[in-house]
Amino acid sequence: MGPSARERRQERRLRRDPTERRIRVFEQRYGRMATNLAAHAAFPLTLTTDVIYCLRESFLPDCPWYAAADVLLSGLCTPVGYDLYEMEAATRRYLLRYLRDQFGDGQVEAVADFMAAYLRHRVLGLKDNRALMLGEKPQWTALACLQPGKARDEIYQALQHLARQQTLDQQDRFRLASLVESYGDFLADQGYQHFMVEWADKFAEEEPIDAQAEMVEQLQNAGFSVRWVEFEVATVAFGVEQAPMEESELYTVNIETVTVNEQGEEIAREPHTVSYFEELLGDPITPLRLVAIPSGEFMMGSGEEDSDKYGDETPQHLVKVKPFFISQYPVTQAQWKAVAAMPTPTEDLEEDLKPEPSRFSGDERPVEQVSWHEAVEFCARLSKHTGRIYRLPTEAEWEYACRADTTTPYYFGPKITEAWVNYNVGETTSVGKFPPNAFGLYDMHGNVCEWCADHWHGNYEEDGGPPTDGSAWLTEDSDARRVNRGGSWYPYPRLCRSACRDDDLPGDHYDDIGFRVVCEARGL
C-alpha cells in the first residue's frame, strides 16, 4: 500500500526544508522524547555529555537516559573534540522554534536561566575550562530565538562595555569576538550576521563601534537610498455605493479583535464595524455572509525579521489591491450541500459534486476533502444562481484580507496559542469559534487550509515575479499545482502564519483543505 495523501503532502513540505526533514527523520527513528531533549539542548554553542544529562534531569525527567546518546551521536550533532559536540546554526534555530512552539516562551527563558546557572557553577565552582566552550552568554541565544532585535542590541551593548575595559588582552578580545561571531551566525535569518561580524572584528582590533551610523553606511554601500522620514498610516474605507448591489442590501455589524503579546497572552481588545451582505441559500441554512474588504496596499510575503519563514515566502513585495467581498467564514458543509444541489453551468464536468464529502461531519464545520476543481465548480453554480460573479480569492487577496493592516506573523500578533486558533486538536471546529481580524474575517489562521486561484510558484522571483495589482499569478499549464493558504488543524502553528504558502494538485482531496469565496466589486 502506497503513502497516504497526508504523507505525500508532508513529504513535499520536508523537501523544501532540509533541516526540517533531518529533524523529522530523527524523530521517526528515536521518538518525540528524544526530539524534546534535542530542543532543550539547542542552547549551548557546544554540547557535552554532562550538559545534556543535566538538561534531561532538570526539564525532562521522564525522558529515557539513552536519549542523550541518541541526540549526541545522531546526525543532529557533529563531534568537535573529546566529549564536545556542536549543532549547526540552522538546526539550532529550528529546534528552538520547536521548543518555543511545544513548551512556550516561558520554557525557553527557563532553559536560558538554567544554562547561565550551569556555567556559573562550572566556571566558578569546578574551574573546568571545557565549560567555557559552551558559551558565556546563553541568554543571548534565548533572545535570538524570542526577540532577535533585542539580542542584537544586548550584544552591541556588551561589546561597548567590554571595549572600555582596560584589563582585556588581545587574546581575550579575539576569544570574545569569536563568540559574538557565533551569535551573528545564529542571527543570520534576521539579517544581523554581517553587522555582528563587523562589530566583533572592530572590538577585537580595539576600534570604536557606532551601530546606527554603521548600519546606514552598510545599507548605502549595498545600493540603498537611506533617509529619515515621519509618516502617518491611513485606512481607506470601502465605498458601499461602489458595491455590486444596492446600498440597502448592505448591513453593518460590530466586532471585537484581540491582540496578543510574544507569549500569546491577550493584551488588548479593540472594537471595529464591518460592512457585509448575505446570499440566502434556503432555510434553515445559514446565509453565506460576504464582508467588504477595502482597497489598499501591503507588503506581501515574509521579511528578514520573521525567523519562521520559508524560502517560498520571499522576497517581500508591494501589492495594491482593489476592493472586493470575501466570505466571512470558510464555506460550511451546509452551504456546500445547498450549492451542490444547484444546477451546473459546466457542461464538461467529469463528475457531480458530492453533497457530503467531509471527513469531520457538522453543518457549521468547514467543508473539506473538496478539490480545487470542485471549489471552482461551487463558485460557478453560485454565480449562476445569484447573478453575481463568484470565484476563489487570489493569493494576494487572501493574504491582504488575512493581515487586515497588520504586519505581524498572525493578525493577533507575534504568536498564537490554541486559545485563539484551531490547530493541534486533530479535527476541524465550527466556523467563527475564535476571534476575527479587523476586517471581520474568522478562521484565516488554522481550521482548514483554503484554496486560492493562483498556480504555484516556488518563490516571488520565479517567472519575472507575481502581479502587483492583486490579480492571480497564472501559468500556461492549467494542470499545474494550485496555492492554498492559512494552515489547518494540523499541529504546526508555523504553517498558520499570514505569509505561509502551500500547494497541491487541483484534483487532490484532503481533510484539511477547504475554501472561501470572493464576490467581485464590479464597476471599480
Side-chain angles (χ1 to χ4, degrees), residues 322-380:
K322 294 179 180 180
F324 59 96
F325 292 84
I326 189 169
S327 49
Q328 190 169 34
Y329 313 100
V331 172
T332 67
Q333 294 175 33
Q335 293 165 346
W336 170 271
K337 187 174 183 178
V339 174
M342 296 175 181
T344 176
T346 309
E347 296 180 359
D348 59 348
L349 187 67
E350 293 185 2
E351 58 181 276
D352 206 2
L353 299 181
K354 297 179 180 178
E356 298 180 354
S358 302
R359 174 189 174 193
F360 305 109
S361 180
D363 284 349
E364 297 305 309
R365 292 194 186 204
V367 69
E368 20 88 5
Q369 294 197 137
V370 294
S371 70
W372 183 89
H373 290 305
E374 290 167 339
V376 169
E377 174 64 19
F378 177 98
C379 294

Side-chain angles (χ1 to χ4, degrees), residues 234-304:
T235 300
V236 182
F238 188 90
V240 295
E241 71 279 6
Q242 295 176 317
M245 65 290 295
E246 296 298 325
E247 185 172 344
S248 60
E249 292 182 81
L250 283 172
Y251 306 90
T252 60
V253 63
N254 295 323
I255 62 166
E256 191 175 57
T257 59
V258 171
T259 301
V260 304
N261 59 19
E262 292 182 349
Q263 287 72 48
E265 302 164 336
E266 180 183 334
I267 57 174
R269 285 184 177 253
E270 185 177 354
H272 297 268
T273 300
V274 174
S275 297
Y276 69 93
F277 75 95
E278 292 183 337
E279 290 287 15
L280 302 180
L281 301 176
D283 284 333
I285 301 167
T286 303
L288 188 65
R289 180 175 289 189
L290 282 296
V291 173
I293 305 298
S295 61
E297 60 183 37
F298 76 112
M299 292 301 293
M300 185 173 179
S302 291
E304 293 298 325

Side-chain angles (χ1 to χ4, degrees), residues 100 105 108-109 141-148 262-263:
R100 180 187 61 193
D105 291 342
V108 176
E109 294 165 354
T141 313
L143 287 174
C145 176
L146 300 174
Q147 298 173 278
E262 292 182 349
Q263 287 72 48

